[in-house]
C-alpha cells in the first residue's frame, strides 16, 4: 500500500512538472525575448500542439487519480472520507460481535475458494510465516459475508483467543460508513479496555493512531480471528489491522482493496450447476420432481447469485402447487417491472420483488417499515416499535421474513437486512407514503427512550434527574433488564443503533428526540465512553436545543458536555460549557439545573487549583440545592466543598463539610457518596495527625468500594491507607497497599491514580534506604503528572524528588526540584504541603552544613504548620530547628525545640523519629 501511494506521488509530481513546463511554453509562445532550448523550442514555436499536450496530460492525471483513489466512493468529498472524522454531525459506532454469526444454510460448494483460504492459513501457521490479510471481494449478493463466516467457523479452532465480527457499513444504504476511530473504540471496549484507557482528544488523526496502537498491543501474542465485513476502503480498515502475525483477518468488500501484503480471494457468481443444486436443496422438493432445465433458467435469471437463488427457492417451498415453470413466469414478469435497473441489479431485485409480492399485506407493511429503520440490527422490541405492533406480532413477522430469506438472524435474537435488501426496503418505503419515515423514527426512538430509562435505573445514582419522556413512552414494551450487568450489555449492543437513530432524527429535524436520546445516553457514555463520542453527541444535542429555543435542554446538553470535557482533562472547554450552562439555567429559571452546573464547574476549578472560584461555586450550588430541597445535590456540594477546604488547609471546615455530607449520603442510602466522604475525611484526619481515626475511615471506605466492586476507588482508598501506614512507621504495610493500588490503577487505566501510587512507592523507597530507586520512580511519577496537567501532583512529586536527591547527594538538582515545588504549592494555596516541602528544603541545607539557612526554612515551615494545624509538619519543623541549634550553638539551645518535637511525635504515634530524638537527647546530656 505504501509503495502504491509513493508511486502515485511520483506520477502526480512528474505530471505537475510537465504541466508547468507546458504552461510556460504556451505563455511564452509569441515571446521574442524568452526562447527555450533544443526540442522545447520546437514545441514553443507550435503553441497549439502545446495546448493539446497540456489538455491530454491534465485529463490523464485526472483519470489516474480517479482510478487510484480506492478509498473514496462516488460523490464523497475528501473531507468526508471514512477515517477523516471532522467532528461534524452526531457520532456513530461500529457493531462488533464477540462471536461469529450463525453459519448460513444457503452456503453452497465453494470448495476451490475454501481450499485456497484454508491452505493459505494452514501453510502460514505451520511454517511460522506471518498470516496475511485475506480480502474477499465480489459483486453485491454474491455471498462474500456468507463465505467469510463459513470459513471463520471452519478455522475457529485455530484461533483460540477469540473471534470478532465487525460490520464496517461501507455500502449500507442510509448509513455513513463507520469511521476507523469509531470501530477501534468499539473493538477496544469489546476487548475489555477500560474507558479511561481508550485514547480521546480533538485531533481525530492522532486519536485514531493512538487507538490503533493500543488495539495492536492488545492483540500482541494472541491468536484471534477478525472478520471486517463490508469494508469501503483500505484507509478505513488499515488502522484496524493487528500488528501481530498470529492473527487472521478476513475482509469482505465490493471493491478491490488489493495491497502487496494481502491475499485476494475473489468470489464470483455460482457455477450454474452449483446454483441449481442450491436451489433444489433450499426448495425442499425432491430432486427428481423438478425440471432441471427450468431450474437452470431460473438461476440464470437471477445471475446465479446465492441471495437471489435463496429467495426463489423459498418461494417455491412456500407454494406447493407451483412448479418451476410457474415460478419462472412470475420472475420474468417481475423483471419486466424493474426494467429501468441495470442488468446486475435487475437480476437480484426481481427475486426481491417476487418474494415481496408473495407476502401478505401486513407483512409487506412491516418489511417496508424496515426500510425506515436507522440502525444496523434489531430485535423484537425495536421491531415492534418500528412496525407499531405488539412484541408477539413483531416476533411472528421477523420469523416469517427469516423463513422467506428476506432477513438474516444473528445470535441473541437479533435480525439484520442484507445491504441489497435494505436498499430494496428503502425503495419500497420511499414509494409509499413519504410521511411514514418521521413517525417510524419517532416510534423507534420513543422505544429506545423507554428502554434507556430502564437501563439508567442501574447506572444513575439515587436522586439524580432523568430526562422527561415524550408522549407514547408508556405504550411501548422494553426488554427486561434485571441487573446492572444486563443493562450495560444491552446499552453496549444498542449503542450503534441509538446513535444511528440520533443521526436520522437530526437529519429529519426531530430536535426534541435528539435532545432526549442524547440525555438518555449520557449516563452510559459518562461511564463507558469513549468520551470523544460523548462530546460529539452532546454538541449535537446542544445544536438541536438551540434550534428549538429550549433553554433548559440547551443547558442540560452543555452540562453533560462540560462533565465529559472534565473527564478528558480539557479544563478550559469544560469551564466554558459549564459557565454557559449556568447562564442558560438562569434564563430558564431552573435553580436545580443551575446548581448542577455550578457544582460541576466547582469541581473543574478545584482541579485547576482556582480554589476561591471553586469555593464560591460550591457554596452557591449548596444554597440552591437547599432552596429546592434536593438532598443528594446538597451532599455532593458539601463533599466537593470539603475537598476545596482541605486543599487550602482549612481542615476544620473540611471536616465539618464532609461530616454533613456523610450524614446525608447515609440518609439517602448512597453508598458511593458515603465511601467518597469517608475517604476524604480520612485524608483530612491524616493531615491533622489523627492517624488512628484516618486509618479507620480509609478501611471503611475500602470495604464499601469492595462491596460496590469499584476497583478504581479501591485503589485510591489503598493509597490513602498506605500513606497513613507510612506515617506511623509501617513501611512494608505501606508498600503492600501502594503496590496493590498500582495493580488496580494499571488494570483500569486510571492514569492519575497510577501516578500517585508510583509517587508513594518512591517515598517508601527513600525511607527504606534506597534513594537511587526513589529518584528513578519519582521521575516516572513526575512525568506522568505533567502529562496529565496535574499541578498538585507535579508539586508533590517534585517535593519528594527533592528529598530523594538530597539523600543521593545531588545538591543542585534537589534545590531546583524543591524550588519548583514551592512555587506551584504557593500558587495552589496548599499551605500544609508547602510546610512539608520547606522541611525537606531545610533538611537539604542542614546536611550541606548550612545550619543558618536551614533554620530559616524550618522556621517558615513551623509558622505555616501551626497556622493550618498540621501537627506532623510542626513536629518535623521543630526537630529540624533543634538539630540546627545543636550544630550551631549546642545542646542547651537545642533542647526546648527537640523536646517539643518529641512530645508531638509521641502524641501522633510516630515512634521512629521520636525514638531518634530520645537517643539524641540522652547522648547530648551524657
Amino acid at each position: 500500500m505504501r509503495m502504491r501511494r509513493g508511486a502515485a506521488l511520483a506520477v502526480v509530481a512528474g505530471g505537475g512538472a510537465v504541466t508547468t513546463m507546458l504552461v510556460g511554453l504556451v505563455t511564452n509562445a509569441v515571446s521574442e525575448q524568452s526562447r527555450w532550448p533544443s526540442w522545447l523550442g520546437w514545441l514553443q514555436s507550435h503553441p497549439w500542439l502545446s495546448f493539446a499536450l497540456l489538455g491530454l496530460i491534465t485529463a490523464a492525471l485526472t483519470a489516474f487519480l480517479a482510478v487510484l483513489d480506492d478509498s473514496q466512493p462516488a460523490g464523497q468529498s475528501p473531507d468526508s472520507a471514512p477515517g477523516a472524522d471532522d467532528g461534524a454531525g452526531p457520532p456513530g459506532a461500529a457493531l462488533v460481535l464477540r462471536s461469529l454469526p450463525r453459519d448460513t444454510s444457503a452456503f453452497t460448494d465453494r470448495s476451490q475458494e475454501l481450499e485456497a483460504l484454508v491452505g493459505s492459513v494452514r501453510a502460514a501457521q505451520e511454517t511460522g510465516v506471518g498470516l496475511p490479510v485475506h480480502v474477499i471481494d465480489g459483486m453485491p449478493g454474491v455471498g462474500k459475508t456468507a463465505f467469510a463466516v463459513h470459513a471463520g467457523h471452519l478455522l475457529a479452532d485455530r484461533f483460540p483467543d477469540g473471534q470478532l465480527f465487525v460490520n464496517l457499513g461501507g455500502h449500507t444504504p442510509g448509513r455513513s460508513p463507520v469511521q476507523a476511530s469509531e470501530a477501534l473504540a468499539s473493538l477496544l471496549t469489546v476487548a475489555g479496555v477500560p474507558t479511561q484507557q481508550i485514547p480521546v482528544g480533538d485531533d481525530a488523526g492522532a486519536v485514531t493512531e493512538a487507538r490503533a496502537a493500543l488495539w495492536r498491543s492488545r492483540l500482541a501474542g494472541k491468536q484471534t480471528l477478525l472478520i471486517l465485513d463490508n469494508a469501503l476502503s483500505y484507509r478505513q480498515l488499515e488502522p484496524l489491522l493487528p500488528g501481530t502475525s498470529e492473527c487472521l483477518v478476513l475482509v469482505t468488500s465490493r471493491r478491490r482493496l488489493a495491497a502487496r501484503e494481502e491475499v485476494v480471494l475473489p468470489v464470483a457468481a455460482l457455477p450454474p450447476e452449483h446454483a441449481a443444486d442450491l436451489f433444489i436443496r433450499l426448495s425442499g422438493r425432491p430432486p427428481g420432481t423438478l425440471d432441471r432445465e427450468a431450474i437452470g433458467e431460473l438461476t440464470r435469471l437471477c445471475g446465479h447469485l446465492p441471495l437471489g437463488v435463496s429467495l426463489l427457492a423459498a418461494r417455491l417451498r412456500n407454494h406447493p402447487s407451483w412448479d418451476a415453470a410457474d415460478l419462472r413466469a412470475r420472475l420474468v414478469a417481475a423483471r419486466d417491472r424493474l426494467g429501468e435497473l441495470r442488468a446486475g441489479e435487475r437480476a437480484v431485485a426481481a427475486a426481491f420483488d417476487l418474494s415481496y409480492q408473495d407476502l401478505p399485506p401486513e407483512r409487506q407493511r412491516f418489511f417496508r417499515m424496515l426500510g425506515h429503520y436507522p440502525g444496523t440490527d434489531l430485535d423484537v422490541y425495536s421491531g415492534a416499535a418500528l412496525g407499531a405492533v405488539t412484541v408477539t406480532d413483531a416476533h411472528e413477522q421477523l420469523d416469517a421474513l427469516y423463513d422467506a430469506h428476506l432477513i438474516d438472524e444473528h445470535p441473541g435474537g437479533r435480525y439484520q437486512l442484507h445491504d441489497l435488501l435494505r436498499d430494496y426496503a428503502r425503495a419500497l418505503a420511499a414509494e409509499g407514503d413519504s410521511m411514514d419515515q418521521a413517525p417510524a423514527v419517532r416510534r423507534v426512538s420513543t422505544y429506545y427512550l423507554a428502554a434507556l430509562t430502564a437501563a439508567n435505573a442501574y447506572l444513575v445514582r439515587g436522586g439524580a434527574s432523568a430526562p422527561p419522556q415524550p408522549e407514547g413512552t408508556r405504550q411501548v414494551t422494553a426488554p427486561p433488564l434485571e441487573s446492572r450487568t444486563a443493562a450495560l450489555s444491552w446499552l453496549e449492543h444498542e449503542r450503534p443503533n441509538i446513535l444511528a437513530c440520533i443521526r436520522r432524527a437530526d437529519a429529519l429535524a426531530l430536535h426534541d428526540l435528539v435532545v432526549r436520546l442524547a440525555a438518555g445516553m449520557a449516563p452510559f457514555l459518562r461511564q463507558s465512553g469513549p468520551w470523544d463520542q460523548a462530546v460529539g453527541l452532546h454538541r449535537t444535542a446542544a445544536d438541536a436545543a438551540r434550534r428549538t429555543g429550549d433553554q433548559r435542554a440547551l443547558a442540560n446538553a452543555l452540562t453533560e458536555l462540560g462533565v465529559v470535557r472534565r473527564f478528558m482533562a480539557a479544563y478550559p472547554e469544560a469551564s466554558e460549557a459549564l459557565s454557559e450552562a449556568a447562564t442558560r439555567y438562569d434564563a430558564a429559571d431552573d435553580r436545580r439545573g443551575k446548581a448542577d452546573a455550578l457544582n460541576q464547574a466547582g469541581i473543574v476549578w478545584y482541579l485547576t487549583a482556582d480554589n476561591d472560584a471553586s469555593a464560591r461555586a460550591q457554596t452557591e450550588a449548596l444554597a440552591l440545592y437547599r432552596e429546592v430541597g434536593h438532598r443528594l445535590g446538597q451532599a455532593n456540594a458539601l463533599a466537593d466543598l470539603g475537598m476545596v477546604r482541605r486543599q487550602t488547609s482549612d481542615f476544620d471546615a473540611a471536616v465539618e463539610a464532609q461530616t454533613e455530607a456523610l450524614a446525608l449520603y447515609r440518609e439517602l442510602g448512597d453508598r458511593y457518596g458515603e465511601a467518597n466522604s469517608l475517604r476524604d475525611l480520612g485524608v483530612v484526619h491524616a493531615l491533622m495527625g489523627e492517624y488512628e481515626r484516618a486509618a479507620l475511615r480509609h478501611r471503611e471506605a475500602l470495604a464499601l468500594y469492595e462491596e460496590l466492586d469499584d476497583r478504581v476507588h479501591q485503589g485510591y482508598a489503598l493509597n490513602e491507607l498506605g500513606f497513613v501506614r507510612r506515617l506511623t512507621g509501617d513501611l512494608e504495610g505501606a508498600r503492600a497497599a501502594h503496590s496493590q493500588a498500582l495493580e488496580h490503577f494499571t488494570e483500569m487505566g486510571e492514569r492519575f491514580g497510577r501516578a500517585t501510587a508510583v509517587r508513594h512507592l518512591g517515598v517508601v523507597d527513600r525511607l527504606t534506604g534506597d534513594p537511587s530507586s526513589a529518584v528513578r520512580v519519582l521521575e516516572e511519577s513526575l512525568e506522568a503528572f505533567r502529562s496529565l496537567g496535574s499541578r498538585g501532583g507535579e508539586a508533590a512529586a517534585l517535593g519528594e524528588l527533592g528529598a530523594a536527591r538530597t539523600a543521593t547527594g545531588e545538591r543542585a538538582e534537589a534545590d531546583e526540584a524543591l524550588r519548583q515545588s514551592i512555587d506551584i504549592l504557593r500558587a495552589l494555596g496548599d499551605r500544609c504541603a508547602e510546610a512539608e516541602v520547606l522541611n525537606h528544603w531545610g533538611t537539604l541545607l542542614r546536611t550541606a552544613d548550612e545550619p543558618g539557612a536551614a533554620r530559616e526554612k524550618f522556621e517558615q515551615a513551623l509558622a505555616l504548620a501551626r497556622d493550618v494545624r498540621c501537627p506532623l509538619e510542626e513536629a518535623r519543623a521543630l526537630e529540624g530547628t533543634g538539630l540546627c541549634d545543636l550544630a550551631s550553638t549546642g545542646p542547651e539551645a537545642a533542647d526546648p525545640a527537640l523536646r517539643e518535637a518529641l512530645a508531638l511525635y509521641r502524641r501522633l504515634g510516630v515512634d521512629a523519629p521520636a525514638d531518634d530524638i530520645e537517643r539524641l537527647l540522652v547522648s547530648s546530656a551524657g
Side-chain angles (χ1 to χ4, degrees):
M1 191 69 188
R2 294 184 182 92
M3 290 178 66
R4 185 171 59 178
R5 290 174 182 166
L9 289 173
V11 171
V12 172
V18 174
T19 301
T20 302
M21 180 191 73
L22 288 173
V23 170
L25 288 171
V26 171
T27 55
N28 286 289
V30 296
S31 173
E32 296 295 332
Q33 299 178 354
S34 179
R35 303 304 298 172
W36 291 59
S38 184
W39 61 274
L40 296 177
W42 182 84
L43 280 175
Q44 189 180 15
S45 65
H46 296 79
W48 289 108
L49 182 57
S50 296
F51 271 118
L53 285 173
L54 177 60
L56 181 63
I57 290 174
T58 302
L61 280 172
T62 303
F64 175 76
L65 290 173
V67 172
L68 180 72
D69 186 10
D70 68 346
S71 61
Q72 213 167 284
Q76 188 175 35
S77 68
D79 291 340
S80 63
D85 188 358
D86 59 3
L95 175 63
V96 178
L97 302 181
R98 290 179 171 86
S99 59
L100 297 177
R102 187 167 63 182
D103 205 357
T104 177
S105 60
F107 189 84
T108 192
D109 186 18
R110 294 276 191 187
S111 56
Q112 185 175 353
E113 295 93 333
L114 280 172
E115 286 174 8
L117 174 57
V118 174
S120 172
V121 172
R122 183 183 297 118
Q125 289 185 328
E126 290 175 356
T127 60
V129 177
L131 284 166
V133 175
H134 290 73
V135 177
I136 303 160
D137 62 25
M139 67 180 292
V142 79
K144 298 181 296 295
T145 301
F147 177 80
V149 170
H150 185 73
H153 282 283
L154 291 177
L155 294 165
D157 289 345
R158 289 179 171 270
F159 299 93
D161 293 317
Q163 301 88 41
L164 297 172
F165 181 94
V166 187
N167 184 354
L168 296 177
H171 302 278
T172 302
R175 293 202 63 192
S176 300
V178 174
Q179 301 276 351
S181 180
E182 296 166 349
L184 285 164
S186 298
L187 284 167
L188 290 169
T189 299
V190 167
V193 176
T195 302
Q196 300 94 328
Q197 204 169 340
I198 297 178
V200 294
D202 294 325
D203 186 333
V207 168
T208 300
E209 289 179 8
R211 288 179 179 175
L214 180 57
W215 171 237
R216 290 192 294 270
S217 73
R218 294 292 290 196
L219 291 182
K222 293 185 177 179
Q223 292 179 298
T224 301
L225 170 61
L226 177 63
I227 297 180
L228 301 176
D229 187 45
N230 201 3
L232 177 66
S233 66
Y234 196 89
R235 176 167 30 174
Q236 181 192 28
L237 66 91
E238 187 174 20
L240 314 182
L241 301 180
T244 178
S245 60
E246 291 88 359
C247 293
L248 173 63
V249 180
L250 303 180
V251 179
T252 72
S253 178
R254 296 183 187 179
R255 308 181 71 177
R256 300 186 189 279
L257 308 178
R260 60 183 178 84
E261 63 268 27
E262 296 170 353
V263 172
V264 179
L265 294 170
V267 176
L270 294 172
E273 62 276 13
H274 291 174
D277 291 342
L278 176 64
F279 181 93
I280 294 170
R281 176 158 53 87
L282 295 179
S283 70
R285 303 285 182 91
T289 64
L290 294 172
D291 182 345
R292 191 81 183 190
E293 184 177 344
I295 292 172
E297 178 65 10
L298 281 169
T299 58
R300 185 189 66 78
L301 286 171
C302 63
H304 299 127
L305 296 176
L307 182 61
V309 172
S310 302
L311 289 167
L312 290 178
R315 301 281 57 71
L316 196 62
R317 186 182 67 243
N318 293 334
H319 291 277
S321 63
W322 291 5
D323 60 18
D326 294 325
L327 181 59
R328 179 189 177 281
R330 287 170 169 80
L331 180 61
V332 170
R335 282 170 61 87
D336 291 341
R337 287 195 301 273
L338 299 166
E340 72 279 3
L341 297 178
R342 295 195 305 268
E345 294 174 339
R346 188 166 64 246
V348 180
F352 294 170
D353 197 59
L354 189 62
S355 297
Y356 172 75
Q357 297 297 336
D358 199 34
L359 300 175
E362 69 277 6
R363 196 154 299 142
Q364 289 184 353
R365 176 189 172 277
F366 190 88
F367 183 77
R368 289 196 305 273
M369 286 298 103
L370 293 177
H372 290 311
Y373 182 60
T376 301
D377 66 348
L378 76 165
D379 60 8
V380 294
Y381 297 98
S382 49
L386 182 69
V389 297
T390 66
V391 171
T392 301
D393 287 343
H395 201 293
E396 179 183 339
Q397 299 288 5
L398 289 166
D399 278 350
L401 290 174
Y402 174 72
D403 289 340
H405 289 265
L406 286 169
I407 198 168
D408 296 325
E409 186 179 8
H410 290 314
R414 311 293 303 186
Y415 297 86
Q416 184 172 351
L417 285 171
H418 186 284
D419 281 350
L420 291 177
L421 280 163
R422 178 189 288 267
D423 205 19
Y424 179 69
R426 283 168 56 83
L428 289 173
E431 290 174 4
D433 189 347
S434 60
M435 302 300 289
D436 280 348
Q437 184 178 17
V441 173
R442 187 172 288 279
R443 286 195 302 272
V444 75
S445 297
T446 300
Y447 153 71
Y448 276 126
L449 286 168
L452 283 168
T453 299
N456 285 337
Y458 294 101
L459 271 65
V460 178
R461 289 167 62 185
S465 60
Q469 302 302 309
E471 294 181 7
T473 303
R474 294 182 180 179
Q475 280 70 51
V476 301
T477 304
L481 301 173
E482 298 176 350
S483 68
R484 177 182 174 85
T485 300
L488 288 171
S489 176
W490 181 87
L491 283 161
E492 191 55 58
H493 196 105
E494 293 290 358
R495 178 206 299 259
N497 298 323
I498 297 173
L499 293 179
C501 279
I502 294 172
R503 280 181 177 269
R504 185 69 58 82
D506 190 57
L508 294 171
L510 301 176
H511 302 307
D512 61 320
L513 288 178
V514 172
V515 168
R516 287 189 170 98
L517 284 168
M521 285 291 286
F524 173 63
L525 290 178
R526 276 196 191 193
Q527 173 176 320
S528 299
W531 290 323
D532 53 351
Q533 188 179 87
V535 166
L537 180 63
H538 297 313
R539 281 176 175 163
T540 299
D543 290 343
R546 284 191 173 95
R547 292 190 181 98
T548 63
D550 188 334
Q551 295 292 314
R552 180 176 286 105
L554 174 56
N556 289 340
L558 288 168
T559 299
E560 289 297 337
L561 180 60
V563 170
V564 176
R565 280 304 207 177
R566 169 169 66 83
F567 292 163
M568 296 171 69
Y571 299 131
E573 294 85 351
S575 178
E576 180 182 357
L578 291 165
S579 296
E580 184 182 352
T583 302
R584 299 288 182 176
Y585 281 126
D586 248 348
D589 193 27
D590 185 342
R591 291 178 294 168
R592 158 72 187 279
K594 183 180 180 181
D596 288 341
L598 287 169
N599 174 240
Q600 291 296 331
I603 296 173
V604 173
W605 292 324
Y606 163 79
L607 292 171
T608 55
D610 190 347
N611 294 314
D612 290 341
S614 182
R616 285 194 301 271
Q618 299 298 358
T619 301
E620 186 177 356
L622 178 59
L624 288 169
Y625 283 133
R626 283 172 172 164
E627 285 180 23
V628 299
H630 184 47
R631 297 181 70 73
L632 178 61
Q634 293 173 43
N636 290 338
L638 282 164
D640 294 327
L641 182 61
M643 292 171 65
V644 179
R645 300 305 187 203
R646 167 174 58 78
Q647 184 158 280
T648 55
S649 301
D650 190 352
F651 299 138
D652 288 337
V655 169
E656 181 182 354
Q658 287 291 0
T659 301
E660 188 176 350
L662 178 62
L664 283 169
Y665 285 134
R666 283 175 168 166
E667 178 185 320
L668 294 167
D670 188 324
R671 306 290 272 170
Y672 266 112
E674 180 183 355
N676 291 339
S677 280
L678 284 168
R679 179 167 57 87
D680 209 65
L681 277 169
V683 173
V684 178
H685 288 313
L687 292 171
M688 297 173 70
E690 300 168 354
Y691 300 128
E692 192 171 326
R693 183 177 294 181
L696 174 63
R697 293 304 191 200
H698 290 316
R699 285 194 296 270
E700 290 173 337
L702 179 59
L704 283 173
Y705 290 135
E706 289 173 342
E707 179 184 319
L708 294 165
D709 194 26
D710 186 334
R711 295 174 70 81
V712 169
H713 283 92
Q714 287 174 39
Y716 280 109
L718 284 164
N719 259 349
E720 299 301 345
L721 192 57
F723 175 68
V724 174
R725 288 174 179 172
R726 168 163 62 85
L727 294 180
T728 54
D730 182 7
L731 296 181
E732 289 311 311
R735 187 187 298 278
H738 296 314
S739 297
Q740 189 178 352
L742 180 61
E743 289 178 9
H744 287 341
F745 291 134
T746 302
E747 176 188 347
M748 302 304 295
E750 174 59 31
R751 295 168 62 201
F752 182 86
R754 188 183 190 285
T756 304
V758 170
R759 175 174 63 82
H760 283 306
L761 286 168
V763 178
V764 173
D765 282 344
R766 172 175 64 85
L767 294 175
T768 53
D770 192 354
S772 297
S773 174
V775 168
R776 185 177 62 256
V777 170
L778 289 164
E779 284 178 337
E780 178 188 344
S781 173
L782 176 61
E783 182 180 353
F785 282 126
R786 283 175 169 164
S787 70
L788 290 166
S790 171
R791 298 288 283 163
E794 181 182 1
L798 282 166
E800 292 299 344
L801 187 58
R805 290 195 183 281
T806 297
T808 58
E810 300 171 85
R811 165 68 189 276
E813 293 82 355
D815 188 84
E816 180 58 27
L818 295 167
R819 191 183 310 279
Q820 290 181 29
S821 178
I822 287 290
D823 289 344
I824 296 172
L825 292 169
R826 284 174 177 165
L828 296 176
D830 190 341
R831 294 180 292 167
C832 185
E834 183 184 351
E836 181 181 11
V837 176
L838 284 168
N839 278 327
H840 285 324
W841 209 340
T843 301
L844 169 67
L845 294 169
R846 185 176 61 80
T847 55
D849 292 328
E850 299 181 30
R855 197 179 200 284
E856 183 180 341
K857 298 298 183 186
F858 287 128
E859 286 176 346
Q860 292 174 16
L862 181 61
L864 278 174
R866 283 175 170 169
D867 188 39
V868 299
R869 291 178 53 207
C870 189
L872 179 61
E873 298 310 322
E874 181 183 357
R876 288 171 173 168
L878 285 165
E879 180 187 9
T881 301
L883 292 173
C884 288
D885 289 342
L886 183 64
S888 59
T889 308
E892 188 174 344
D895 191 75
L898 290 173
R899 290 192 180 281
E900 191 174 352
L902 173 61
L904 267 175
Y905 281 135
R906 290 298 186 202
R907 180 171 67 81
L908 294 171
V910 182
D911 292 329
D915 293 342
D916 290 341
I917 292 175
E918 278 193 343
R919 285 192 291 271
L920 180 63
L921 289 172
V922 170
S923 64
S924 298

